[in-house]
Amino acid sequence: MTTTTLNVKGMTCNHCVQAVEGALTELSGVERALVDLKANSVAVEYDESVVTVEQMTEAIEDQGYDVEA
Amino acid sequence: MTTTTLNVKGMTCNHCVQAVEGALTELSGVERALVDLKANSVAVEYDESVVTVEQMTEAIEDQGYDVEA
Ligand SMILES: [Cu+2]
Ligand SMILES: [Cu+2]
């Protein structure tokens, strides 16, 4: 299990928080996700043998947000 | 409920992660805590009417880590 923090642009409210956390935790291999709305970030705990940062990025972008490198 | 991300110095392994997350989630008012070991940070979801950042900082420092402003 490892953890990373992704920078997410466009989150403005608690619905955005739920959308991003929900999209991430639905991915198999993602254990926990915690959005910091003010910091425009999401901390993610995941199993790197199961899911990649690319897949997490895609899941967030599918919700309409941008992930910055 | 609000969220913040604190910078924590001195965490080196999963025991540190457990110590910091455990100290935070034991505080009443703290809902969730997720350490990013590589980023030296912890994202915390908490009820600001119940617990303060100062109390969270103290709880982390009691475990032997430094919290940076
Ligand atoms: Cu929103
Ligand atoms: Cu340690």
Side-chain angles (χ1 to χ4, degrees):
Chain A
M1 209 66 75
T2 191
T3 314
T4 194
T5 304
L6 304 174
N7 297 310
V8 182
K9 281 185 79 170
M11 299 184 295
T12 58
C13 74
N14 277 322
H15 298 116
C16 299
V17 171
Q18 294 305 320
V20 169
E21 290 184 353
L24 287 169
T25 53
E26 266 175 24
L27 291 175
S28 97
V30 172
E31 192 73 18
R32 293 186 294 161
L34 204 168
V35 166
D36 185 334
L37 196 52
K38 279 176 230 146
N40 297 302
S41 64
V42 58
V44 192
E45 184 183 37
Y46 66 103
D47 184 339
E48 53 196 335
S49 70
V50 178
V51 66
T52 63
V53 169
E54 288 66 30
Q55 289 172 307
M56 297 190 278
T57 296
E58 204 173 321
I60 294 169
E61 290 178 343
D62 284 351
Q63 297 295 319
Y65 306 96
D66 285 329
V67 177
E68 292 188 313
Chain B
M1 209 65 75
T2 190
T3 313
T4 193
T5 305
L6 303 174
N7 297 311
V8 181
K9 280 185 81 170
M11 299 184 295
T12 57
C13 74
N14 278 321
H15 298 115
C16 300
V17 172
Q18 294 305 319
V20 170
E21 291 184 352
L24 288 169
T25 54
E26 266 175 24
L27 292 175
S28 97
V30 172
E31 192 72 18
R32 292 187 293 160
L34 204 167
V35 166
D36 184 335
L37 195 53
K38 279 176 231 150
N40 296 302
S41 63
V42 58
V44 192
E45 184 184 36
Y46 66 104
D47 184 340
E48 52 196 336
S49 70
V50 178
V51 66
T52 64
V53 170
E54 288 67 29
Q55 289 172 308
M56 296 190 278
T57 296
E58 204 172 322
I60 294 168
E61 290 177 343
D62 283 349
Q63 296 296 317
Y65 306 97
D66 286 327
V67 178
E68 292 188 314

